[in-house]
Amino acid sequence: MAESRDFNDILDDIVLSEDAQEKESYKEGFQAGVETGNADGFHLGYHRGFQLGRELGYYMRIVVHHLELNDTLDPKYSDKIIKQLQKVKDLIDEFPRTNSEDHDILKMAETIRAIKIKMDSKVTHLRQNLDTIITFLTPYLPLANCHMVEFFTQSHWDRLLPSDLQHYLDKSNLLDAVNIFWKASEKNNLYSENEISKWVETTRNHCLINNEYCLNPQGLQKLIISQGSNMQPELKITEFMNSKKSYEVQSMSAYVASLHNLCGATHCVEAGGGKGHLLVALSLGYQIPSLTIDCDEKTLRNAEKRVKIIQKQWHAIAKKINKNSEVKMSNIDSELHRFAPAFITMDTDLTEVVQSQFKCETVKLLLTGLHTCGNLGPDSLRLFTTHQNVGALFNVPCCYHLLSEEVDGGLYDVFQRDYGGVGDSYGFPMSEHLRGFNLGRNARMLAAQSIERVTARKELPNRSLLYRALLQEIIKNHSPESTIKEGKLKGISCQSFEEYLKTADAILNIGLDSCQIPETTIDCQWKKIVLFYLIRLCLAQVVESVILMDRLLFLYENGFTNVFLVKLFDPVLSPRCHSIVAIR
């Protein structure tokens, strides 16, 4: 039999033998792989499951902590925050504790992560940006908080300016340095390698003009339209307001009216409305029931009389601007604008005030304010977060120096000692993230100055700033026991220091009229005063950015994500140009 097999048969046997051996080896290898893989897979699955359980447990601890904490808070978290926290808790509660084939475990985990990330990402990102600005600002807070009166007595030039910048300014001619500053401040200026330009550029890079959180008016318009509302036409009022106020009302009223429609509000409430400029436009121009609230009863009484006069003249002084054409208005409802005297705090029941004034039951509010002074701005934000009936917020803040701030004794200027908040509800900071951080009163006062207006108009400080600082040095040297009440010498305008000194001494009566300072010394010190003033002014936009971003972060921390900063006005025309817009 063996002899009958040829070479091809032998080759076939070899191939078949190899094939059989391969199959046997595969079977043995597969079995070994299964046994090993089961063990490896078990350990891998065990560790991955442990990691997932730990992650979900971490989320659950955070959620439960805040839900329990809410029972002790006053004011409590908003309903929006509670709903988000409860949603995460419910999803974790529903998550299977065993390997269930009826559930897509990975998908469920991703859903929980997505909600958690959505809650955290904006807050985390904003905190990081705010930290960057504060890290830059903190070493310069003594510069921002200094008082120009003490320029010579406290050696501001030598102590407070960055050393490289100071050395550069010492060697510079006043006119040349000022011109470099103006050019560096131009928006389209090409960067130049000198210390003045570096300083201007660095401070500009730490403020809202180079910040992703700040919309321009066109961006706000797109936002309103994208969320389902139409933009209302602008309203132009030519009488009963100065040009600045007329510009502000024209710019703001159309956005407020559009936001009013978007959030389905029944009434608009203006906090600290004073003369009621904005709500005159809203009630007469857009037929929105409006309530002006202000703590000054006399101002409100005068405002009511004034509004009645405006109503009679409305057809002649007001026009709607529609596609570049002006259209007169005639039909108005004079009963839509009401006034209520009240000092607004975070505890004010706006719903009750509106119901009382308009004799209505169903109320949904848009809370606005055109230049809300001091703590009225922060309290307006707190009212929005805690009152469900406030559907939207449109707030333009001002007077940062009137904010209450936790006092950090001795760190900042002398005026800060007398200003503090009541309890924990300070005007600054509002966010939990900045709790314990102080700016200082003079820094907040600096934030109210507009570098855009100064540079656009090329305004240098009044020479009386130099004279007052020189006077302070003379008083320190010749009458150190004398104290001058803040503002006592305010408004003195003189052509020379000699004249200023005589005028001041006539007011103070402390025998300084015989003191003399050479004109050459005065000219030299004038250079330092001017350049120091301009360098310090660059920090104004940085400090204001911290204040505004802190308020934005406060809204984020309270669960509101549909919130925005808007550069609403031209800062040359209206220096307090930023607004905070929030939609529930």
Side-chain angles (χ1 to χ4, degrees), residues 121-170:
S121 59
K122 283 190 174 183
V123 175
T124 301
H125 191 54
L126 179 55
R127 283 174 175 169
Q128 290 171 346
N129 279 273
L130 194 50
D131 286 345
T132 299
I133 296 177
I134 287 176
T135 299
F136 166 76
L137 175 63
T138 299
Y140 300 115
L141 279 177
L143 172 59
N145 274 293
C146 74
H147 202 297
M148 294 297 290
V149 167
E150 299 169 336
F151 181 79
F152 299 113
T153 58
Q154 298 295 325
S155 304
H156 289 348
W157 182 267
D158 296 322
R159 290 194 311 107
L160 300 180
L161 290 178
S163 58
D164 290 345
L165 179 57
Q166 181 205 330
H167 295 327
Y168 181 85
L169 296 176
D170 279 332

Side-chain angles (χ1 to χ4, degrees), residues 397-445:
C398 73
C399 301
Y400 301 130
H401 63 291
L402 296 179
L403 292 170
S404 61
E405 185 177 16
E406 188 174 5
V407 176
D408 193 344
L411 180 59
Y412 303 119
D413 65 275
V414 294
F415 300 105
Q416 174 69 5
R417 290 198 299 262
D418 299 326
Y419 288 80
V422 178
D424 295 326
S425 299
Y426 295 108
F428 179 87
M430 294 190 70
S431 68
E432 287 297 326
H433 183 64
L434 291 189
R435 190 69 62 201
F437 176 74
N438 277 357
L439 283 170
R441 180 177 182 267
N442 270 11
R444 289 183 278 109
M445 185 175 285

Side-chain angles (χ1 to χ4, degrees), residues 82-97:
I82 297 301
K83 287 179 181 178
Q84 287 180 323
L85 291 171
Q86 192 61 52
K87 185 174 182 179
V88 174
K89 182 178 182 299
D90 291 344
L91 286 172
I92 296 175
D93 285 338
E94 294 169 4
F95 198 88
R97 268 44 179 180

Side-chain angles (χ1 to χ4, degrees), residues 48-76:
R48 290 288 174 84
F50 175 77
Q51 290 174 350
L52 180 58
R54 183 169 59 181
E55 179 185 359
L56 297 180
Y58 169 71
Y59 295 158
M60 179 64 91
R61 286 197 303 274
I62 293 176
V63 168
V64 171
H65 167 74
H66 284 287
L67 288 173
E68 292 176 349
L69 179 64
N70 186 56
D71 294 334
T72 66
L73 293 178
D74 185 21
K76 297 184 181 301

Side-chain angles (χ1 to χ4, degrees), residues 343-490:
F343 184 84
I344 294 179
T345 69
M346 59 182 290
D347 299 317
T348 301
D349 190 338
L350 294 178
T351 299
E352 183 178 297
V353 177
V354 170
Q355 288 173 333
S356 173
Q357 290 293 324
F358 286 91
K359 310 302 179 187
C360 60
E361 293 185 4
T362 303
V363 170
K364 186 174 183 181
L365 307 177
L366 184 152
L367 178 59
T368 189
L370 176 52
H371 293 145
T372 50
C373 290
N375 280 4
L376 183 56
D379 282 341
S380 294
L381 269 65
R382 291 187 175 102
L383 281 170
F384 171 74
T385 62
T386 57
H387 287 64
Q388 288 296 311
N389 284 348
V390 181
L393 173 83
F394 202 132
N395 183 269
V396 181
C398 73
C399 301
Y400 301 130
H401 63 291
L402 296 179
L403 292 170
S404 61
E405 185 177 16
E406 188 174 5
V407 176
D408 193 344
L411 180 59
Y412 303 119
D413 65 275
V414 294
F415 300 105
Q416 174 69 5
R417 290 198 299 262
D418 299 326
Y419 288 80
V422 178
D424 295 326
S425 299
Y426 295 108
F428 179 87
M430 294 190 70
S431 68
E432 287 297 326
H433 183 64
L434 291 189
R435 190 69 62 201
F437 176 74
N438 277 357
L439 283 170
R441 180 177 182 267
N442 270 11
R444 289 183 278 109
M445 185 175 285
L446 177 66
Q449 298 184 32
S450 171
I451 188 171
E452 290 95 339
R453 173 179 279 190
V454 169
T455 54
R457 299 178 178 179
K458 293 182 169 49
E459 293 178 340
L460 295 180
N462 192 288
R463 206 168 176 88
S464 62
L465 190 67
L466 167 65
Y467 296 160
R468 179 64 184 87
L470 288 171
L471 176 65
Q472 191 70 16
E473 187 173 38
I474 290 175
I475 292 173
K476 179 183 177 182
N477 294 332
H478 294 272
S479 184
E481 71 284 353
S482 300
T483 58
I484 302 176
K485 187 177 180 180
E486 182 186 3
K488 190 167 185 178
L489 299 178
K490 188 176 182 180

Side-chain angles (χ1 to χ4, degrees), residues 264-282:
T266 60
H267 299 77
C268 182
V269 174
E270 183 180 16
K275 295 180 180 179
H277 289 119
L278 178 62
L279 296 199
V280 165
L282 291 177

